[in-house]
Amino acid sequence: KQEVTQIPAALSVPEGENLVLNCSFTDSAIYNLQWFRQDPGKGLTSLLLIQSSQREQTSGRLNASLDKSSGRSTLYIAASQPGDSATYLCAVRYQAGTALIFGKGTTLSVSS
Amino acid sequence: DTAVSQTPKYLVTQMGNDKSIKCEQNLGHDTMYWYKQDSKKFLKIMFSYNNKELIINETVPNRFSPKSPDKAHLNLHINSLELGDSAVYFCASSPGQETTNEKLFFGSGTQLSVL
Protein backbone atom coordinates (compact mmCIF):
# COMPACT_ATOMS: atom_id res chain seq x y z
CA LYS A 1 0.00 0.00 0.00
CA GLN A 2 1.38 3.40 -0.96
CA GLU A 3 1.50 5.62 2.12
CA VAL A 4 3.03 8.92 3.18
CA THR A 5 4.06 9.49 6.78
CA GLN A 6 5.06 12.73 8.46
CA ILE A 7 6.87 12.97 11.76
CA PRO A 8 6.49 14.76 14.11
CA ALA A 9 2.75 15.47 14.10
CA ALA A 10 3.39 18.76 15.91
CA LEU A 11 6.42 20.95 16.55
CA SER A 12 6.93 24.09 18.63
CA VAL A 13 10.02 26.25 18.24
CA PRO A 14 11.13 29.74 19.24
CA GLU A 15 11.47 32.39 16.58
CA GLY A 16 14.75 32.37 14.68
CA GLU A 17 15.39 28.66 14.96
CA ASN A 18 16.20 26.53 11.90
CA LEU A 19 14.04 23.43 11.68
CA VAL A 20 13.46 20.28 9.64
CA LEU A 21 10.17 18.57 8.86
CA ASN A 22 10.27 14.95 7.78
CA CYS A 23 8.28 13.00 5.22
CA SER A 24 8.65 9.32 4.34
CA PHE A 25 7.01 7.28 1.61
CA THR A 26 6.67 3.55 1.11
CA ASP A 27 7.58 3.17 -2.57
CA SER A 28 10.79 4.70 -3.89
CA ALA A 29 9.47 4.78 -7.49
CA ILE A 30 7.77 8.13 -7.20
CA TYR A 31 6.95 10.61 -9.97
CA ASN A 32 7.16 13.78 -7.91
CA LEU A 33 6.73 15.09 -4.38
CA GLN A 34 5.13 18.32 -3.27
CA TRP A 35 5.16 20.27 0.00
CA PHE A 36 2.13 22.35 0.97
CA ARG A 37 1.24 24.77 3.69
CA GLN A 38 -2.26 24.90 5.22
CA ASP A 39 -3.39 27.74 7.44
CA PRO A 40 -6.38 27.17 9.78
CA GLY A 41 -9.65 27.37 7.88
CA LYS A 42 -7.87 27.89 4.59
CA GLY A 43 -6.94 25.86 1.55
CA LEU A 44 -3.51 24.48 0.76
CA THR A 45 -0.72 26.56 -0.75
CA SER A 46 1.91 24.80 -2.79
CA LEU A 47 5.42 25.55 -1.50
CA LEU A 48 7.80 23.36 -3.47
CA LEU A 49 7.57 20.57 -6.02
CA ILE A 50 10.47 18.13 -6.55
CA GLN A 51 10.56 15.92 -9.63
CA SER A 52 11.82 12.36 -9.22
CA SER A 53 15.04 13.29 -11.06
CA GLN A 54 15.80 16.17 -8.71
CA ARG A 55 17.54 16.17 -5.33
CA GLU A 56 16.26 19.45 -3.93
CA GLN A 57 14.31 22.64 -4.54
CA THR A 58 14.68 26.00 -2.84
CA SER A 59 12.36 28.95 -2.40
CA GLY A 60 13.44 31.76 -0.10
CA ARG A 61 13.97 30.35 3.40
CA LEU A 62 12.59 26.96 2.37
CA ASN A 63 14.61 24.05 1.05
CA ALA A 64 13.12 20.67 0.24
CA SER A 65 15.28 17.62 -0.38
CA LEU A 66 14.43 14.25 -1.88
CA ASP A 67 16.17 10.92 -1.28
CA LYS A 68 14.26 8.29 -3.22
CA SER A 69 16.50 5.40 -2.19
CA SER A 70 15.64 5.90 1.46
CA GLY A 71 12.07 6.98 0.75
CA ARG A 72 12.46 10.33 2.47
CA SER A 73 12.01 14.03 1.92
CA THR A 74 12.79 16.87 4.30
CA LEU A 75 11.57 20.45 4.38
CA TYR A 76 14.13 22.78 5.91
CA ILE A 77 12.92 26.16 7.18
CA ALA A 78 15.65 28.66 7.98
CA ALA A 79 15.31 31.42 10.57
CA SER A 80 11.73 30.56 11.45
CA GLN A 81 9.19 33.35 12.03
CA PRO A 82 5.79 33.42 13.78
CA GLY A 83 4.22 33.77 10.32
CA ASP A 84 5.53 30.31 9.47
CA SER A 85 3.07 28.81 11.96
CA ALA A 86 0.82 26.48 9.96
CA THR A 87 0.38 22.82 9.07
CA TYR A 88 2.87 21.54 6.51
CA LEU A 89 1.76 18.66 4.31
CA CYS A 90 3.86 16.38 2.17
CA ALA A 91 2.23 14.73 -0.85
CA VAL A 92 3.57 12.14 -3.26
CA ARG A 93 2.51 11.40 -6.82
CA TYR A 94 3.61 7.85 -7.62
CA GLN A 95 2.80 7.92 -11.33
CA ALA A 96 2.00 10.60 -13.88
CA GLY A 97 -1.71 11.22 -14.04
CA THR A 98 -2.45 9.70 -10.64
CA ALA A 99 -3.62 11.61 -7.61
CA LEU A 100 -1.37 12.99 -4.90
CA ILE A 101 -1.26 10.91 -1.73
CA PHE A 102 -0.99 13.13 1.32
CA GLY A 103 0.62 12.68 4.70
CA LYS A 104 -1.27 13.83 7.78
CA GLY A 105 0.93 16.88 8.17
CA THR A 106 3.13 18.50 10.78
CA THR A 107 1.60 21.40 12.69
CA LEU A 108 4.29 23.98 13.32
CA SER A 109 4.05 26.70 15.96
CA VAL A 110 6.72 29.41 16.03
CA SER A 111 6.65 31.60 19.14
CA SER A 112 7.95 35.17 19.24
CA ASP B 1 -8.77 37.19 -8.88
CA THR B 2 -9.05 33.92 -6.99
CA ALA B 3 -7.42 31.11 -8.98
CA VAL B 4 -9.57 28.25 -7.67
CA SER B 5 -12.85 29.30 -6.14
CA GLN B 6 -15.46 27.08 -4.57
CA THR B 7 -18.87 27.85 -3.14
CA PRO B 8 -20.32 27.77 -0.64
CA LYS B 9 -17.67 28.16 2.05
CA TYR B 10 -19.98 26.72 4.69
CA LEU B 11 -22.86 24.29 4.23
CA VAL B 12 -25.06 23.08 7.08
CA THR B 13 -27.82 20.65 6.21
CA GLN B 14 -29.96 17.81 7.50
CA MET B 15 -29.37 14.12 6.94
CA GLY B 16 -31.03 12.83 3.81
CA ASN B 17 -30.84 16.12 1.90
CA ASP B 18 -29.16 16.59 -1.49
CA LYS B 19 -26.57 19.36 -1.87
CA SER B 20 -24.07 20.64 -4.41
CA ILE B 21 -20.67 22.34 -4.13
CA LYS B 22 -19.38 24.33 -7.07
CA CYS B 23 -15.80 24.85 -8.18
CA GLU B 24 -14.27 27.03 -10.86
CA GLN B 25 -10.66 27.65 -11.85
CA ASN B 26 -9.38 30.51 -14.01
CA LEU B 27 -5.86 29.15 -14.45
CA GLY B 28 -6.48 27.45 -17.77
CA HIS B 29 -5.66 24.07 -16.21
CA ASP B 30 -6.79 20.81 -17.78
CA THR B 31 -7.14 18.73 -14.60
CA MET B 32 -9.41 19.28 -11.61
CA TYR B 33 -9.85 17.33 -8.40
CA TRP B 34 -12.07 16.91 -5.37
CA TYR B 35 -10.41 16.06 -2.07
CA LYS B 36 -12.03 15.31 1.29
CA GLN B 37 -10.38 16.32 4.57
CA ASP B 38 -11.83 14.47 7.54
CA SER B 39 -11.98 15.46 11.21
CA LYS B 40 -8.46 14.12 11.71
CA LYS B 41 -7.25 16.48 8.97
CA PHE B 42 -6.41 13.60 6.64
CA LEU B 43 -6.70 14.70 3.00
CA LYS B 44 -7.87 12.07 0.54
CA ILE B 45 -8.57 12.17 -3.18
CA MET B 46 -12.15 11.58 -4.29
CA PHE B 47 -12.25 12.36 -8.01
CA SER B 48 -10.08 13.71 -10.77
CA TYR B 49 -11.17 15.04 -14.16
CA ASN B 50 -8.97 15.80 -17.13
CA ASN B 51 -10.55 17.96 -19.81
CA LYS B 52 -14.07 17.04 -18.63
CA GLU B 53 -13.32 13.32 -18.51
CA LEU B 54 -13.28 11.30 -15.28
CA ILE B 55 -9.83 9.78 -14.73
CA ILE B 56 -9.79 8.98 -11.01
CA ASN B 57 -12.67 7.67 -8.89
CA GLU B 58 -11.40 6.50 -5.54
CA THR B 59 -14.09 4.11 -4.26
CA VAL B 60 -16.39 6.96 -3.33
CA PRO B 61 -20.05 6.03 -2.66
CA ASN B 62 -22.22 6.61 -5.70
CA ARG B 63 -24.18 9.17 -3.69
CA PHE B 64 -21.34 11.47 -4.75
CA SER B 65 -21.56 12.53 -8.38
CA PRO B 66 -19.07 14.95 -9.89
CA LYS B 67 -19.99 16.90 -12.98
CA SER B 68 -17.66 18.82 -15.26
CA PRO B 69 -19.56 20.97 -17.79
CA ASP B 70 -16.26 22.33 -19.10
CA LYS B 71 -12.62 22.06 -18.09
CA ALA B 72 -12.83 25.17 -15.90
CA HIS B 73 -15.62 23.79 -13.72
CA LEU B 74 -15.99 20.71 -11.55
CA ASN B 75 -19.06 20.53 -9.36
CA LEU B 76 -19.81 17.95 -6.69
CA HIS B 77 -23.35 16.78 -6.04
CA ILE B 78 -24.12 14.70 -2.97
CA ASN B 79 -27.39 12.76 -2.60
CA SER B 80 -28.94 11.49 0.62
CA LEU B 81 -26.38 13.13 2.90
CA GLU B 82 -25.16 11.11 5.89
CA LEU B 83 -23.53 12.17 9.16
CA GLY B 84 -20.23 10.70 7.99
CA ASP B 85 -20.17 13.05 5.04
CA SER B 86 -19.34 15.93 7.40
CA ALA B 87 -15.88 17.13 6.40
CA VAL B 88 -14.09 19.87 4.52
CA TYR B 89 -14.18 19.38 0.76
CA PHE B 90 -11.40 20.91 -1.30
CA CYS B 91 -11.37 21.53 -5.01
CA ALA B 92 -7.99 21.70 -6.75
CA SER B 93 -6.54 22.03 -10.22
CA SER B 94 -3.26 21.33 -11.98
CA PRO B 95 -1.95 22.08 -15.47
CA GLY B 96 -2.51 18.57 -16.74
CA GLN B 97 -1.25 15.04 -16.98
CA GLU B 98 1.24 15.57 -19.75
CA THR B 99 3.38 18.13 -18.04
CA THR B 100 6.04 17.59 -15.41
CA ASN B 101 4.92 20.78 -13.67
CA GLU B 102 1.98 19.28 -11.84
CA LYS B 103 1.71 21.70 -8.96
CA LEU B 104 -1.72 21.58 -7.43
CA PHE B 105 -3.63 24.75 -6.67
CA PHE B 106 -6.35 24.45 -4.04
CA GLY B 107 -9.57 26.29 -3.33
CA SER B 108 -10.24 27.48 0.22
CA GLY B 109 -12.55 24.59 1.04
CA THR B 110 -16.21 23.97 1.82
CA GLN B 111 -17.02 23.02 5.40
CA LEU B 112 -19.96 20.59 5.19
CA SER B 113 -21.84 19.82 8.42
CA VAL B 114 -24.58 17.20 8.29
CA LEU B 115 -26.93 17.29 11.29
mmCIF file of all heavy atoms in Angstrom, chain B residues 73-94:
data_model
loop_
_atom_site.group_PDB
_atom_site.id
_atom_site.type_symbol
_atom_site.label_atom_id
_atom_site.label_comp_id
_atom_site.label_asym_id
_atom_site.label_seq_id
_atom_site.Cartn_x
_atom_site.Cartn_y
_atom_site.Cartn_z
ATOM 1 N N HIS B 73 -14.657 24.020 -14.792
ATOM 2 C CA HIS B 73 -15.622 23.792 -13.720
ATOM 3 C C HIS B 73 -15.702 22.312 -13.342
ATOM 4 O O HIS B 73 -15.722 21.448 -14.228
ATOM 5 C CB HIS B 73 -17.022 24.261 -14.132
ATOM 6 C CG HIS B 73 -17.136 25.734 -14.356
ATOM 7 N ND1 HIS B 73 -16.784 26.326 -15.550
ATOM 8 C CD2 HIS B 73 -17.529 26.739 -13.522
ATOM 9 C CE1 HIS B 73 -16.980 27.623 -15.456
ATOM 10 N NE2 HIS B 73 -17.420 27.910 -14.244
ATOM 11 N N LEU B 74 -15.751 22.060 -12.040
ATOM 12 C CA LEU B 74 -15.988 20.706 -11.546
ATOM 13 C C LEU B 74 -16.858 20.829 -10.303
ATOM 14 O O LEU B 74 -16.411 21.302 -9.275
ATOM 15 C CB LEU B 74 -14.684 19.991 -11.208
ATOM 16 C CG LEU B 74 -14.838 18.564 -10.687
ATOM 17 C CD1 LEU B 74 -15.523 17.676 -11.726
ATOM 18 C CD2 LEU B 74 -13.491 17.964 -10.293
ATOM 19 N N ASN B 75 -18.113 20.437 -10.454
ATOM 20 C CA ASN B 75 -19.062 20.531 -9.359
ATOM 21 C C ASN B 75 -19.237 19.167 -8.702
ATOM 22 O O ASN B 75 -19.037 18.125 -9.338
ATOM 23 C CB ASN B 75 -20.405 21.056 -9.867
ATOM 24 C CG ASN B 75 -20.248 22.397 -10.571
ATOM 25 O OD1 ASN B 75 -19.471 23.253 -10.145
ATOM 26 N ND2 ASN B 75 -20.973 22.594 -11.666
ATOM 27 N N LEU B 76 -19.614 19.189 -7.432
ATOM 28 C CA LEU B 76 -19.806 17.948 -6.686
ATOM 29 C C LEU B 76 -21.218 17.919 -6.120
ATOM 30 O O LEU B 76 -21.596 18.797 -5.344
ATOM 31 C CB LEU B 76 -18.785 17.852 -5.546
ATOM 32 C CG LEU B 76 -18.814 16.565 -4.711
ATOM 33 C CD1 LEU B 76 -18.442 15.356 -5.570
ATOM 34 C CD2 LEU B 76 -17.856 16.679 -3.526
ATOM 35 N N HIS B 77 -21.989 16.937 -6.538
ATOM 36 C CA HIS B 77 -23.351 16.780 -6.038
ATOM 37 C C HIS B 77 -23.397 15.589 -5.102
ATOM 38 O O HIS B 77 -22.847 14.524 -5.422
ATOM 39 C CB HIS B 77 -24.329 16.583 -7.193
ATOM 40 C CG HIS B 77 -25.755 16.625 -6.753
ATOM 41 N ND1 HIS B 77 -26.399 17.797 -6.426
ATOM 42 C CD2 HIS B 77 -26.650 15.631 -6.556
ATOM 43 C CE1 HIS B 77 -27.643 17.521 -6.057
ATOM 44 N NE2 HIS B 77 -27.825 16.219 -6.123
ATOM 45 N N ILE B 78 -24.036 15.773 -3.959
ATOM 46 C CA ILE B 78 -24.118 14.697 -2.970
ATOM 47 C C ILE B 78 -25.579 14.413 -2.670
ATOM 48 O O ILE B 78 -26.317 15.315 -2.246
ATOM 49 C CB ILE B 78 -23.389 15.053 -1.661
ATOM 50 C CG1 ILE B 78 -22.017 15.670 -1.950
ATOM 51 C CG2 ILE B 78 -23.225 13.804 -0.794
ATOM 52 C CD1 ILE B 78 -21.335 16.267 -0.731
ATOM 53 N N ASN B 79 -26.009 13.182 -2.893
ATOM 54 C CA ASN B 79 -27.385 12.764 -2.601
ATOM 55 C C ASN B 79 -27.465 12.119 -1.223
ATOM 56 O O ASN B 79 -26.492 11.534 -0.723
ATOM 57 C CB ASN B 79 -27.857 11.742 -3.643
ATOM 58 C CG ASN B 79 -28.094 12.369 -4.998
ATOM 59 O OD1 ASN B 79 -28.506 13.525 -5.097
ATOM 60 N ND2 ASN B 79 -27.811 11.622 -6.050
ATOM 61 N N SER B 80 -28.636 12.214 -0.628
ATOM 62 C CA SER B 80 -28.936 11.486 0.623
ATOM 63 C C SER B 80 -27.804 11.626 1.640
ATOM 64 O O SER B 80 -27.206 10.637 2.078
ATOM 65 C CB SER B 80 -29.181 10.000 0.320
ATOM 66 O OG SER B 80 -30.214 9.858 -0.612
ATOM 67 N N LEU B 81 -27.516 12.853 2.021
ATOM 68 C CA LEU B 81 -26.383 13.128 2.903
ATOM 69 C C LEU B 81 -26.460 12.341 4.200
ATOM 70 O O LEU B 81 -27.534 12.159 4.786
ATOM 71 C CB LEU B 81 -26.315 14.631 3.191
ATOM 72 C CG LEU B 81 -25.627 15.425 2.085
ATOM 73 C CD1 LEU B 81 -26.073 16.868 2.072
ATOM 74 C CD2 LEU B 81 -24.114 15.316 2.238
ATOM 75 N N GLU B 82 -25.283 11.867 4.648
ATOM 76 C CA GLU B 82 -25.161 11.108 5.891
ATOM 77 C C GLU B 82 -24.245 11.858 6.852
ATOM 78 O O GLU B 82 -23.449 12.705 6.442
ATOM 79 C CB GLU B 82 -24.573 9.719 5.595
ATOM 80 C CG GLU B 82 -25.424 8.894 4.638
ATOM 81 C CD GLU B 82 -24.789 7.554 4.305
ATOM 82 O OE1 GLU B 82 -23.650 7.299 4.763
ATOM 83 O OE2 GLU B 82 -25.437 6.766 3.582
ATOM 84 N N LEU B 83 -24.353 11.497 8.154
ATOM 85 C CA LEU B 83 -23.529 12.173 9.159
ATOM 86 C C LEU B 83 -22.041 12.080 8.813
ATOM 87 O O LEU B 83 -21.284 13.023 9.002
ATOM 88 C CB LEU B 83 -23.783 11.558 10.541
ATOM 89 C CG LEU B 83 -25.181 11.771 11.138
ATOM 90 C CD1 LEU B 83 -25.308 11.024 12.460
ATOM 91 C CD2 LEU B 83 -25.464 13.249 11.335
ATOM 92 N N GLY B 84 -21.641 10.924 8.306
ATOM 93 C CA GLY B 84 -20.231 10.697 7.993
ATOM 94 C C GLY B 84 -19.711 11.513 6.819
ATOM 95 O O GLY B 84 -18.500 11.517 6.554
ATOM 96 N N ASP B 85 -20.607 12.197 6.141
ATOM 97 C CA ASP B 85 -20.168 13.055 5.035
ATOM 98 C C ASP B 85 -19.629 14.391 5.547
ATOM 99 O O ASP B 85 -19.035 15.154 4.774
ATOM 100 C CB ASP B 85 -21.323 13.321 4.067
ATOM 101 C CG ASP B 85 -21.833 12.057 3.403
ATOM 102 O OD1 ASP B 85 -21.031 11.096 3.256
ATOM 103 O OD2 ASP B 85 -23.021 12.005 3.033
ATOM 104 N N SER B 86 -19.827 14.672 6.826
ATOM 105 C CA SER B 86 -19.337 15.932 7.397
ATOM 106 C C SER B 86 -17.816 15.968 7.293
ATOM 107 O O SER B 86 -17.119 15.063 7.762
ATOM 108 C CB SER B 86 -19.753 16.055 8.868
ATOM 109 O OG SER B 86 -21.160 16.109 8.979
ATOM 110 N N ALA B 87 -17.317 17.009 6.655
ATOM 111 C CA ALA B 87 -15.875 17.131 6.396
ATOM 112 C C ALA B 87 -15.658 18.460 5.681
ATOM 113 O O ALA B 87 -16.612 19.191 5.401
ATOM 114 C CB ALA B 87 -15.375 15.986 5.508
ATOM 115 N N VAL B 88 -14.397 18.734 5.388
ATOM 116 C CA VAL B 88 -14.088 19.870 4.525
ATOM 117 C C VAL B 88 -13.749 19.317 3.145
ATOM 118 O O VAL B 88 -12.911 18.411 3.021
ATOM 119 C CB VAL B 88 -12.902 20.703 5.059
ATOM 120 C CG1 VAL B 88 -12.648 21.898 4.134
ATOM 121 C CG2 VAL B 88 -13.184 21.189 6.466
ATOM 122 N N TYR B 89 -14.394 19.833 2.131
ATOM 123 C CA TYR B 89 -14.182 19.376 0.757
ATOM 124 C C TYR B 89 -13.388 20.439 0.015
ATOM 125 O O TYR B 89 -13.757 21.608 -0.019
ATOM 126 C CB TYR B 89 -15.530 19.107 0.073
ATOM 127 C CG TYR B 89 -16.235 17.922 0.673
ATOM 128 C CD1 TYR B 89 -17.023 18.052 1.826
ATOM 129 C CD2 TYR B 89 -16.097 16.647 0.125
ATOM 130 C CE1 TYR B 89 -17.643 16.959 2.405
ATOM 131 C CE2 TYR B 89 -16.725 15.554 0.690
ATOM 132 C CZ TYR B 89 -17.500 15.717 1.830
ATOM 133 O OH TYR B 89 -18.114 14.628 2.403
ATOM 134 N N PHE B 90 -12.282 20.005 -0.575
ATOM 135 C CA PHE B 90 -11.405 20.915 -1.303
ATOM 136 C C PHE B 90 -11.419 20.586 -2.785
ATOM 137 O O PHE B 90 -11.270 19.425 -3.190
ATOM 138 C CB PHE B 90 -9.965 20.805 -0.804
ATOM 139 C CG PHE B 90 -9.719 21.430 0.533
ATOM 140 C CD1 PHE B 90 -9.666 20.649 1.669
ATOM 141 C CD2 PHE B 90 -9.525 22.804 0.646
ATOM 142 C CE1 PHE B 90 -9.432 21.230 2.914
ATOM 143 C CE2 PHE B 90 -9.291 23.386 1.881
ATOM 144 C CZ PHE B 90 -9.247 22.605 3.015
ATOM 145 N N CYS B 91 -11.546 21.628 -3.568
ATOM 146 C CA CYS B 91 -11.366 21.526 -5.008
ATOM 147 C C CYS B 91 -9.930 21.946 -5.330
ATOM 148 O O CYS B 91 -9.347 22.782 -4.626
ATOM 149 C CB CYS B 91 -12.359 22.465 -5.698
ATOM 150 S SG CYS B 91 -12.225 22.525 -7.480
ATOM 151 N N ALA B 92 -9.358 21.350 -6.340
ATOM 152 C CA ALA B 92 -7.992 21.703 -6.745
ATOM 153 C C ALA B 92 -7.857 21.564 -8.249
ATOM 154 O O ALA B 92 -8.671 20.893 -8.898
ATOM 155 C CB ALA B 92 -6.970 20.815 -6.038
ATOM 156 N N SER B 93 -6.816 22.186 -8.793
ATOM 157 C CA SER B 93 -6.544 22.025 -10.218
ATOM 158 C C SER B 93 -5.040 21.957 -10.449
ATOM 159 O O SER B 93 -4.250 22.390 -9.602
ATOM 160 C CB SER B 93 -7.151 23.182 -11.034
ATOM 161 O OG SER B 93 -6.416 24.377 -10.833
ATOM 162 N N SER B 94 -4.672 21.370 -11.576
ATOM 163 C CA SER B 94 -3.265 21.331 -11.984
ATOM 164 C C SER B 94 -3.209 21.451 -13.499
ATOM 165 O O SER B 94 -4.201 21.179 -14.177
ATOM 166 C CB SER B 94 -2.587 20.047 -11.506
ATOM 167 O OG SER B 94 -3.145 18.911 -12.130
#
